[in-house]
Structures are given as structure tokens and as C-alpha cells.
């Protein structure tokens, strides 16, 4: 403590305290917002009892916004024809049930387990069909053409999600989420159903084989080494510029302040 | 004052006003400037001569003798500073060793070597060692200044920008003398023929610049789209029917058939295709002069095709929000409303994205009705 007491009145101490505070806040925020990995959906055959259980779950947790018959209200869209794939994507990524009505529903730990998600999906699918949850074969990346996936990704997905799938900002508080945590099934379902502001990439324009190629590319980018050292989230030159500007220049300013900081003369005044 | 010498034939030097100012040969260094001002003692000026003239001598008596405690601290600082410089030496040796010892490039690696990993290792070693070497030199120098050197402010006056009157007079005299010797005034034909000889070389760049490439002609006004050319999905080169593209909210990047792999053509001809729910798409009939540039007649079953090249400075626009129907340009946030003919709602773009006239052919595939009816992409001088 005496070490701190001896130095806390120095001009540099204020800056150091501010920096320390910011780092602590950032670390705490990162620790509390880290979401766990999501549940994988299985696709058991839909039975009437599954549909009934799904209906009960729906009435209890979803109907306040989507309506008692999933017909939609002013708070939430109609789910008739949305399909099991949309339900699985929204619920397995924790985006639904929504915490609040906002610009964007963020990824969070799922509320329901895989079986309950499948039952909810069966119920919604029973209302008016819609895209089904892809099976393991459809989302398998073995033997996929990663090069073609990169071509398709960079022309159709990279504008919002970034060339390495790190996500990016959209308008009015919306954002394109990072693809670092999404499972292949979830990526497939997102392309198929176009959640929120994302456009739909249906099987007619991006066929199932091309979808597998895109998934293979996204998965492959996660394993790429970072020859530059720090990846900085792979969000591109803006991040690098910001780090250099704030971190690098801030460091240089502190150094410059230290260099020009005048030493207190240990000798008593007036000896010269 | 040994660097001052009299020139031969310097009878004209008498024009110098100063009684004791000898004139200087052009190109030789000036006498040591009197940095301490005219009233400085000559001994101080002499001691600073040739050493950049920093007037240390004047301050000699102002630097107090170090106390015993200061000498002790100085000895400790000396060890740290020397350690820094030794560290810089070791890191510098490490840099050379890393450069020689860590090969990069497939031709220098052992068979089966990973070039990316090798580059990563090499970059890391070179960067770290060089950074440590430079940082250690900087830190050592800094500590030297802060801990050992006396903390006394020293003022070094700038010399006057104007040359001394004697120097200026000498220059004028030498110039006139040279002009006289060369007879450039006496023999005008020599002078004029010299000017004539350099004239073609001055004009030569104009000829070279004029030949720097073919003029663009009308190529900026046209793309490779033509009547009946099918729309293919970029990457898979798959032709599309309206039924293939039936999911509302769909968006896809399109290239013209026959130019799928032609980057030169695609820089202008890339297109985005968007599918709307019934009733959402309402493109008013728009004309530019007598040319039709936007109409619902160019859409097929609520599918519309727009140029992917931003009208601001030509970035690819494919950031499409299906909820708001806004197309955004990732470069400068120009925002276009796709449901009303890609009209500009925000940002620096000046014009809507050009709409591609589209129809279906007899096989049901989406095809272009014609080329774009206006130039795509950014403005250019003659665009009008």
C-alpha cells in the first residue's frame, strides 16, 4: 500500500486508474455476456402427442406475442407456414422466447431442451407446413466444396456478416450476428428461413449442396490460423484502426507525457 | 577561420561593405555561426566552432556539481542503461539469426512444410526481435537522458535566415562574372539555339501522355447484358425460374450467362435479385429524358433486379434487410429502398440503382429484356 500511497498523487496516476477501471469493466462485461453453446436439435418423427405437448408449450410461453393460434399480433408475426426450421433456429439459439421487443433478438442460452424445441417445431409445422429441420446428412460438411462456399459467402453473406463471419452492424440498432457459435444446422436454417432482417436463401437459388459448401467455408474459417498474431475478432480494418488509434496512440501519449514530465528537484530551492 | 580563402581574381571583392569580411567561395561551408549573439565572448564562440555550435560552454558554471547521493543513483541508472543496450545487441543478433534460421516459402521448406505456419513463425521471430531491439535502444537512451544527463534547459538560437551582405554581394559578383565569361549575352544565337534544342523534349510528355491507352468511348454506358441473356446465380452458375425464387424476402447475386467468370464484365454487370411479398413492390414509372429507367413492367412475379454497383463510387451493394427493404452499401452507408425502385433514402449516392429490364423466356427462365437503360455505377464527367 505504501507503494501506491507514494505514487497516487502523481499526474500519471489518474490516467492509470481510468485505464484500470475500463479494463475491469470490459472483463466483467465479457464474463457475464458469454453465452454457452447451444443445444442441437434432433428430428424425431412428429406424433400427435408431440404436437399436443408443443401446443401446450406454445400457449404457455409464445402465445402472448404470436397469438393463441399463432396467427400473429401487433407484438409478433404470424407463425403459420413458418415451419419447424424457423422454430428450431429461433429457440435453439435462445433468441426466442424474446427477452423484450427490441431492434434485434440476441443469441442467449436456450430456454428449452432439444426435445421441447422439436415439439414446438412439430406444433408450428402442423399449422401450415413450412421448411423442416435439416437432418445430419444435409448439414454434413464432409466432401463439401469450400472454395465454392467462399465464393457464395463473399458475394451474398459477407456484406453483413463480414468476410470471416465475425458479424457487423446494420441500421437502427439491428446487427448481423457473428457466425462463430452457430452450429451447421442453425446456419442452414437461417439461410432457409431468413430470420429477422436477413434475406431468405431458398433451395431454389442456393441449392442444398451449395448450402453445405457455405457451411463448410464458415466452419473452415474458424480453424484458420492468425498469421498476424492477434485476430482482434476478425472484424476487419476498422477494428485494427481503432486498436492502433486508441491503444497505440494512447500508449504513445502516455510515454510522451512521461518523457516530458519534469522531475521534482530533490535539492532544496535556492542552492544554485 | 581556415575554411575561408580568397578567390583568384577577386578584384571585385571590394564591393563588400564590411571592412574585415572576406568573401566566400560559393559551395564552401559558412564560417561557424555566432550562435551566442554578437555580445558573446569570442572564447565561447571558438570553443563551439565545428561542433554544431551548441553553446554548452556558457552554461558550465550553472550546472551544479552532483552530490554523493546523485552519484550513487547515477551508478544504479548506469547499470540499467547498459543492460538495455546489451539487450538491444542480443535482440539485434536474434533478428539476424531468425532471418537466416527460419526459412519461408515453399521452395526453402522441407517437403510437406506448411508455408503459412513458416511465415507465421518467421514473422513472429523477426517482429519480436526487432521490436525488442529498437525498444531497448529507445528505453536505454531515454533513461540516459532522464537519469544521467543534467536537467538544465539550454537555448540554441537560430541563425538569421538572410545571408550576410558580404555573401550576397559575392554571389551577385560571381554570377555576373560567370555570365561575362560564358558570353551568353554577347552571342544570342547560342542562347536561342539552346532554347530551341530543349523545346521538343519539353513537348515530348504531351505525346507520351496522349498515347497512354484507348479512350473509354461509350463502354461506360453499356454492360454485357442483352435481350434474352439468362440470369445465373453467381458461383453455381445455375439459371433461375420465377418458381425457383419464390420465397418472399429472398436475395441473391446474379451474373449474366456467358460472362460468369469474366471479372472485367462483372465489375459493371453484377446484379442483385430480390423477391417481394405480393403488394410490397411498387416501382413508379420513371424516365430520364425520353429514356425509361424504372417500371413495374420490368419485374416478374414480384421479383426485381437491380445493379449491384453502388452509384456513389461503385462498391458492391448486397447488404439487404428484408424487413425494411433497404439495400445498404457497406462502404459509405448509402441506403436504397428496393420496394420503390432502389431510390436513395440516405447517404452519399446521387441516383437510384439502375433497374435491369427483366422478363421470362419461353422455357420459363428469368432473362434480361435488354441492357440497362442508363449507365451503371458511379458518376463520370460526360454522363450528363
Amino acid at each position: 500500500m505504501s507503494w501506491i500511497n507514494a505514487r497516487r498523487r502523481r499526474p500519471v496516476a489518474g490516467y492509470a486508474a481510468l485505464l484500470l477501471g475500463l479494463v475491469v469493466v470490459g472483463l466483467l462485461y465479457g464474463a457475464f455476456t458469454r453465452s454457452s453453446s447451444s443445444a442441437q436439435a434432433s428430428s424425431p418423427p412428429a406424433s400427435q402427442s408431440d404436437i399436443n405437448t408443443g401446443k401446450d408449450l406454445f400457449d404457455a410461453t409464445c402465445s402472448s406475442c404470436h397469438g393463441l393460434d399463432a396467427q400473429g399480433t401487433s407484438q409478433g408475426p404470424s407463425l403459420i407456414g413458418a415451419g419447424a426450421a424457423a422454430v428450431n433456429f429461433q429457440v435453439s439459439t435462445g433468441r426466442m422466447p424474446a427477452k423484450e421487443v427490441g431492434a434485434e433478438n440476441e443469441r442467449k442460452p436456450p430456454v428449452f431442451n432439444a426435445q421441447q424445441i422439436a415439439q414446438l417445431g412439430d406444433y408450428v409445422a402442423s399449422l401450415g407446413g413450412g421448411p423442416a429441420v435439416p437432418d445430419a446428412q444435409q448439414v454434413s460438411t464432409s466432401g463439401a466444396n469450400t472454395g465454392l462456399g467462399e465464393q457464395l459467402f463473399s458475394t451474398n453473406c459477407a456484406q453483413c456478416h463480414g468476410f470471416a463471419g465475425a458479424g457487423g452492424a446494420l441500421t437502427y440498432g439491428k446487427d448481423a450476428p457473428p457466425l462463430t457459435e452457430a452450429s451447421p444446422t442453425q446456419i442452414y436454417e437461417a439461410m432457409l428461413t431468413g430470420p429477422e432482417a436477413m434475406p431468405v436463401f431458398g433451395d431454389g437459388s442456393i441449392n442444398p449442396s451449395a448450402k453445405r459448401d457455405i457451411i463448410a467455408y464458415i466452419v473452415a474459417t474458424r480453424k484458420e490460423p492468425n498469421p498476424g498474431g492477434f485476430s482482434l475478432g476478425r472484424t476487419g480494418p476498422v477494428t485494427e484502426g481503432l486498436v492502433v488509434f486508441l491503444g497505440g496512440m494512447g500508449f504513445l501519449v502516455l510515454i510522451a507525457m512521461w518523457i516530458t514530465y519534469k522531475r521534482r528537484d530533490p535539492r532544496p530551492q535556492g542552492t544554485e | 577561420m581556415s575554411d575561408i580563402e580568397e578567390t583568384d581574381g577577386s578584384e571585385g571583392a571590394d564591393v563588400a561593405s564590411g571592412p574585415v569580411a572576406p568573401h566566400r567561395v560559393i559551395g564552401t561551408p559558412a564560417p561557424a555561426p555566432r550562435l551566442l549573439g554578437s555580445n558573446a565572448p569570442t572564447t565561447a564562440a571558438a570553443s563551439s566552432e565545428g561542433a554544431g555550435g551548441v553553446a554548452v560552454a556558457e552554461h558550465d558554471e550553472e550546472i551544479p556539481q552532483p552530490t554523493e547521493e546523485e552519484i550513487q543513483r547515477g551508478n544504479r541508472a548506469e547499470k540499467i542503461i547498459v543492460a538495455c543496450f546489451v539487450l538491444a545487441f542480443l535482440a539485434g543478433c536474434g533478428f539476424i539469426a531468425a532471418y537466416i534460421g527460419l526459412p519461408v516459402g515453399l521452395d526453402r521448406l522441407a517437403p510437406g512444410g506448411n508455408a503459412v505456419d513458416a511465415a507465421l513463425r518467421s514473422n513472429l521471430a523477426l517482429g519480436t526481435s526487432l521490436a525488442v531491439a529498437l525498444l531497448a535502444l529507445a528505453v536505454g537512451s531515454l533513461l540516459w537522458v532522464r537519469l544521467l544527463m543534467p536537467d538544465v534547459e539550454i537555448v540554441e538560437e537560430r541563425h538569421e535566415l538572410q545571408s550576410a551582405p558580404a555573401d550576397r554581394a559575392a554571389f551577385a559578383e560571381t554570377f555576373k562574372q560567370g555570365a561575362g565569361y560564358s558570353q551568353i549575352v554577347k552571342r544570342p544565337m547560342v542562347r536561342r539555339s539552346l532554347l530551341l534544342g530543349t523545346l521538343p523534349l519539353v513537348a515530348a510528355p504531351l505525346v507520351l501522355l496522349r498515347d497512354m491507352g484507348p479512350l473509354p468511348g461509350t463502354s461506360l454506358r453499356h454492360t454485357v447484358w442483352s435481350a434474352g441473356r439468362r440470369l445465373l446465380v453467381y458461383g453455381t452458375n445455375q439459371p433461375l425460374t420465377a418458381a425457383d425464387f419464390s420465397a418472399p424476402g429472398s436475395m441473391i447475386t446474379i451474373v449474366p450467362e456467358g460472362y460468369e467468370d469474366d471479372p472485367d464484365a462483372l465489375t459493371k454487370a453484377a446484379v442483385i435479385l430480390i423477391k417481394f411479398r405480393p403488394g410490397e413492390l411498387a416501382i413508379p414509372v420513371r424516365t430520364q429524358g425520353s429514356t425509361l429507367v424504372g417500371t413495374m413492367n420490368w419485374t416478374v412475379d414480384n421479383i426485381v433486379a437491380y445493379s449491384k454497383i453502388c452509384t456513389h463510387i461503385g462498391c458492391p451493394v448486397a447488404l439487404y434487410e428484408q424487413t425494411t427493404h433497404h439495400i445498404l452499401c457497406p462502404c459509405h452507408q448509402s441506403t436504397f429502398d428496393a420496394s420503390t425502385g432502389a431510390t436513395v433514402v440516405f447517404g452519399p449516392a446521387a441516383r437510384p440503382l439502375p433497374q435491369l429490364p427483366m422478363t421470362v423466356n419461353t422455357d420459363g427462365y428469368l432473362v434480361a429484356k435488354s441492357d440497362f437503360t442508363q449507365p451503371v455505377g458511379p458518376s463520370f464527367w460526360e454522363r450528363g
Side-chain angles (χ1 to χ4, degrees), chain A residues 1-14 16 261 264:
Chain A
M1 284 314 278
S2 63
W3 186 85
I4 294 176
N5 276 333
R7 285 161 178 79
R8 69 191 166 98
R9 290 202 180 277
R10 288 195 179 179
V12 189
Y261 168 60
R264 228 172 307 170

Side-chain angles (χ1 to χ4, degrees), chain B residues 13 56 74 86 96 113 155-156 158 175 179 186 239 252 280-281 311:
Chain B
V56 182
V86 171
I96 295 173
V155 179
E156 181 179 1
R158 286 201 188 105
F175 185 84
K186 253 190 240 168
I252 197 73
E280 283 179 344
L281 185 61
T311 54

Side-chain angles (χ1 to χ4, degrees), chain B residues 245-272:
Chain B
F245 203 65
S246 59
S250 290
M251 189 276 295
I252 197 73
T253 302
I254 292 294
V255 292
E257 185 172 33
Y259 295 91
E260 304 92 336
D261 302 313
D262 183 347
D264 285 344
L266 293 185
T267 50
K268 285 189 296 169
V271 159
I272 49 171

